[in-house]
Amino acid sequence: MVRWPHEAALRQQLADQARARLLLVEDGFPPPRVTDLLEDWAWTSSEQTETRARLQTLALRARSSRGIPPSLDDDGVLRHRGRWVPLPPLECRLTRALLDRLGAVVSRESLGRAGWPAGAPERNALDVHVLRLRRRLVNVDLAIRTVRSRGYLLEPVDPELDPEEGEHRRCCT
């Protein structure tokens, strides 16, 4: 919950993080224009039942918006949960292969062919690029998991449910 208009900076910070926010509008101030499904407002003088109902609706919207898959455009910009990260061409090709099988294992061989269409890289080259890609994807709530002896798996993470991922983003970006 954010007091409006006194906590306008907090509103923007939460919006930038694609987090739900209920604005409690102070008496005497006009309500803000809401254009985001993750935002709503109520008067500070509203009944508790109305405020609680608005919070529950926001929570439902936030949960349903998490189901939107990540997207990678032709310019190498990966978007997910209201955030974006630019990817260099090689990492873009690796990401596209992982996105095509989001939530499923992609073999090292398949990733190698995707990243280096003219010929397979040395084993270490793939590992280095996957490591770099992992670091970039933390910023958009995505993680690459290693599936031993099989390959890699790309999946969304919820920093609120996976504290290690959320903590890494907060301290290392």
Side-chain angles (χ1 to χ4, degrees):
M1 291 195 281
V2 177
R3 293 210 169 270
W4 178 259
H6 302 296
E7 296 179 331
L10 176 59
R11 174 195 187 200
Q12 187 59 52
Q13 179 184 1
L14 293 172
D16 291 345
Q17 297 172 2
R19 298 199 45 202
R21 57 232 170 257
L22 179 64
L23 308 178
L24 298 176
V25 180
E26 304 278 340
D27 292 333
F29 288 95
R33 183 168 174 244
V34 174
T35 59
D36 184 346
L37 289 175
L38 295 178
E39 185 172 271
D40 200 353
W41 66 270
W43 297 109
T44 54
S45 58
S46 295
E47 296 277 329
Q48 271 191 332
T49 53
E50 179 184 349
T51 303
R52 196 172 307 122
R54 289 182 184 270
L55 281 171
Q56 289 171 345
T57 300
L58 277 173
L60 181 62
R61 288 182 197 159
R63 281 193 301 276
S64 66
S65 74
R66 293 192 187 273
I68 299 170
S71 65
L72 180 63
D73 68 21
D74 293 336
D75 296 316
V77 177
L78 178 65
R79 290 180 169 77
H80 187 235
R81 294 185 182 160
R83 295 189 194 96
W84 62 275
V85 63
L87 300 175
L90 182 95
E91 291 175 24
C92 188
R93 291 190 299 270
L94 295 174
T95 301
R96 191 162 311 280
L98 290 163
L99 282 174
D100 286 346
R101 295 189 36 93
L102 184 66
V105 175
V106 178
S107 71
R108 290 181 60 83
E109 295 77 26
S110 294
L111 272 182
R113 284 191 303 273
W116 293 267
E122 292 181 21
R123 179 178 177 88
N124 193 32
L126 180 59
D127 294 338
V128 167
H129 285 284
V130 167
L131 176 64
R132 289 179 185 160
L133 186 54
R134 275 185 170 130
R135 290 177 180 158
R136 292 183 203 279
L137 298 184
V138 166
N139 295 316
V140 291
D141 293 338
L142 291 171
I144 299 174
R145 310 288 188 199
T146 300
V147 179
R148 192 170 188 172
S149 301
R150 303 277 316 278
Y152 298 98
L153 179 143
L154 178 67
E155 66 181 357
V157 294
D158 188 339
E160 293 175 17
L161 298 177
D162 191 346
E164 285 184 22
E165 293 293 337
E167 188 61 33
H168 179 75
R169 182 177 64 236
R170 283 190 294 277
C171 73
C172 302
T173 59

